[in-house]
Amino acid sequence: MESTSTAARKVKKSFAFFDLQAQFASIRLEILQAVESVLESQHFIMGQQVELFEKEAGAYVGSPHAVGCASGTDALYLALCAQGVGPGDEVITTPFTFVATAGSIARTEATPVFVDIDPDTFNIATDLIEPAVTEKTRAILPVHLFGLAADLRPIQQIADNYSLAVIEDAAQAIGATYYGQKVGSIGDFGCFSFFPSKNLGCAGDGGMVTARERAMADRLSLLRAHGTRKKYHSEIIGMNSRLDALQAAILRVKLRYLDTWIQARQDRAALYAKLFDQYDLTSFITSPSAPSHCGHVYNQFVIRCDDRDALRDYLQEQGVPTAIYYPEPLHLQPAFAYLGYAKGSMPQSEKACLNSLALPIYPELPADDQERVVSTIAEFYKSQVHHTRGNGTHE
Ligand SMILES: Cc1ncc(COP(=O)(O)O)c(C=O)c1O
C-alpha cells in the first residue's frame, strides 16, 4: 500500500520552468497588430521595421551602431569576421557557456583558448586571461552569463595592453549594466540573441551585433548580406544572416516592455534570496552573485548547491521544474576534443557543471510557485539532515 506521504506527493501539480504564454497574453493585441502590418506590407526582408528596430535597440543598449542578424550564433560569427579573426588566430573565452560562444570562434577557423571561470560569478576569471595571451591572440570573448556582466574593466585593460578586440557575448544579458553602462556598448562589439527564452525574445531565431566604430558596423552590414551594398554586386564574401522584418516588428513591441520585465525578474530574484533566508537554506545553497556595480538581469537564476543531482531528482518528483546550465564544460565536449584539454584543466568550470542548478524565473512567475520551489528545497535538505543523523546513531 502507498504511504500517505507518497499519495500526497502524487497530487502536487507540476508547473512551468518558463512560461511564454503569460507574456504573450499581456501584449497579444500589439503583437498581432505588428505582425499584421508586416503581412499587409508584404515587405519581409530588411526595410523599415529592421531599420527602426536597429535604431531603437542600439539606443537602448547605448551603442552608436546596431546591425540585426539571424541569430545570436551568427552575431558572434559576424563580429569575429568583421574583426578579421581567422585561421591561425586565437580567441580567449570561457568553457562554461553555451556552445555557440566557442563554436563561432571555431567556425572562423581560429582557435578557442579556454580560461577558467570565477566561481563567484560563473564568468571568465580575469586574472587568468593575461597568462593565456600569446602572439596569436586577436580577441577576448567574455560571456555575460545568465545576465550578469563579466568584469569588463580588467578585460579592457588587457585588451588595450595587447591590442586585442573585446567581443562581448551578451546573448543572455540585454539590459544588464556594468558600472551603469549597458553591456554590449562597452567592448568593440556586443552580440545579442533574441531566441524566445531570452529576456528579449522574438518568435523564432534572431540576433544583433552592436559596434563601437562605424567602419565595423559597415563591415557587419556587408557580411550579413553577401557582401553587397548594391544589388548583385559583392564587395566581400559574406553570408545570408538577416533579421526578418516580422521578427523586427515583434521585437520593437517587446523592447518597450523590456525594462519592466527586467525589474520583474530582479524582484523575483530578491524574493528567492529572502525565502532562502526564511527557510534557513543559506548553508546548503548559494544564491547567484550580483556585485553592487552590476545590474543583473537574471535570464537564469542559478544557485550552487550540495547534492545537486539528488536535489534535482527530488524536486522533479515533487513537480518542481529545474534545469542545468550547463551539464558539461565545452573543453571536455567531443566537438572540442581536438584542442586537447584534459579533465581537471578547468576545475572551477567543471565544478560548476556539477553543483549549479537553475530555478524557474520569468517576469510573470507567481510568488506562490517561488515559495513552493524553496519550501521543497528545504524539505529535501531537512530529510537529508535526518538521514545523516540517523546513520550517525549506528555507531
Ligand atoms: C551565451 C550564449 N551565446 C550565444 C548564444 C547563441 O544564440 P542563438 O541561440 O540566438 O544562436 C546563446 C543562446 O542560447 C547563448 O546563451
Side-chain angles (χ1 to χ4, degrees):
M1 241 179 77
E2 272 182 348
S3 72
T4 359
S5 68
T6 316
R9 267 184 212 169
K10 283 195 175 161
V11 293
K12 283 191 185 167
K13 232 179 110 224
S14 57
F15 58 95
F17 179 74
F18 177 64
D19 180 9
L20 273 174
Q21 301 284 353
Q23 185 190 76
F24 180 54
S26 70
I27 51 170
R28 192 168 193 278
L29 207 62
E30 284 175 273
I31 294 287
L32 293 180
Q33 279 167 352
V35 169
E36 190 178 12
S37 83
V38 175
L39 291 175
E40 289 294 351
S41 77
Q42 289 291 299
H43 196 129
F44 299 118
I45 306 293
M46 303 304 290
Q48 196 194 25
Q49 289 300 324
V50 175
E51 280 168 27
L52 286 172
F53 174 68
E54 288 174 341
K55 243 188 222 142
E56 291 160 5
Y60 177 84
V61 168
S63 184
H65 310 286
V67 178
C69 63
S71 66
T73 304
D74 276 3
L76 290 163
Y77 180 65
L78 286 164
L80 288 158
C81 291
Q83 185 59 35
V85 171
D89 294 338
E90 292 177 356
V91 178
I92 294 173
T93 194
T94 157
F96 190 62
T97 176
F98 182 61
V99 63
T101 310
S104 302
I105 299 168
R107 246 171 104 197
T108 69
E109 295 183 42
T111 303
V113 173
F114 292 121
V115 159
D116 207 358
I117 55 166
D118 170 350
D120 290 336
T121 62
F122 295 118
N123 284 327
I124 194 163
T126 53
D127 55 330
L128 300 179
I129 294 176
E130 193 161 12
V133 174
T134 72
E135 55 197 31
K136 294 180 183 167
T137 310
R138 293 287 166 270
I140 308 172
L141 207 169
V143 180
H144 307 306
L145 203 71
F146 306 141
L148 175 69
D151 197 3
L152 289 171
R153 279 188 183 171
I155 292 173
Q156 193 61 56
Q157 190 60 58
I158 298 165
D160 291 345
N161 292 348
Y162 294 92
S163 303
L164 310 175
V166 174
I167 301 174
E168 299 176 56
D169 183 340
Q172 302 181 3
I174 191 161
T177 55
Y178 179 77
Y179 289 104
Q181 224 178 318
K182 293 225 174 80
V183 300
S185 70
I186 301 166
D188 296 276
F189 299 92
C191 302
F192 295 89
S193 164
F194 304 125
F195 186 80
S197 63
K198 299 297 192 266
N199 288 9
L200 179 65
C202 61
D205 279 308
M208 178 177 80
V209 193
T210 48
R212 207 159 50 186
E213 287 176 20
R214 173 174 296 283
M216 284 300 169
D218 275 354
R219 210 170 157 74
L220 288 165
S221 300
L222 280 177
L223 285 164
R224 77 165 164 193
H226 294 302
T228 57
R229 212 181 302 264
K230 205 170 84 192
K231 219 170 184 185
Y232 306 127
H233 176 78
S234 290
E235 295 173 30
I236 53 173
I237 304 286
M239 59 200 271
N240 176 2
S241 182
R242 295 174 295 231
L243 179 68
D244 288 339
L246 268 169
Q247 301 299 356
I250 290 169
L251 287 165
R252 288 188 65 216
V253 172
K254 292 179 112 182
L255 184 60
R256 297 199 282 271
Y257 294 93
L258 182 57
D259 281 338
T260 314
W261 291 335
I262 288 173
Q263 184 60 55
R265 284 175 180 270
Q266 290 168 338
D267 292 346
R268 276 146 188 81
L271 179 57
Y272 269 132
K274 199 170 132 199
L275 289 168
F276 294 155
D277 267 347
Q278 270 173 19
Y279 281 85
D280 239 348
L281 280 169
T282 47
S283 55
F284 300 104
I285 61 179
T286 311
S287 279
S289 162
S292 60
H293 59 274
C294 292
H296 198 320
V297 293
Y298 298 102
N299 181 236
Q300 299 297 344
F301 186 88
V302 179
I303 59 166
R304 315 284 296 246
C305 53
D306 297 336
D307 298 320
R308 193 265 318 268
D309 291 338
L311 170 63
R312 186 167 193 233
D313 288 347
Y314 181 79
L315 291 170
Q316 195 174 350
E317 215 178 277
Q318 302 297 309
V320 173
T322 58
I324 296 177
Y325 304 110
Y326 294 91
E328 217 182 347
L330 296 186
H331 67 287
L332 299 181
Q333 297 203 19
F336 296 103
Y338 73 98
L339 296 172
Y341 288 92
K343 200 167 176 186
S345 59
M346 306 277 146
Q348 296 301 343
S349 301
E350 292 167 36
K351 200 167 160 193
C353 290
L354 298 174
N355 71 6
S356 60
L357 187 68
L359 305 183
I361 195 159
Y362 55 92
E364 303 80 8
L365 177 67
D368 285 355
D369 286 358
Q370 287 191 262
E371 173 112 31
R372 190 165 146 208
V373 172
V374 179
S375 62
T376 315
I377 294 175
E379 260 171 42
F380 170 79
Y381 285 115
K382 253 187 242 153
S383 70
Q384 288 252 312
V385 169
H386 286 144
H387 204 65
T388 321
R389 285 204 187 124
N391 286 344
T393 57
H394 284 298
E395 286 174 356

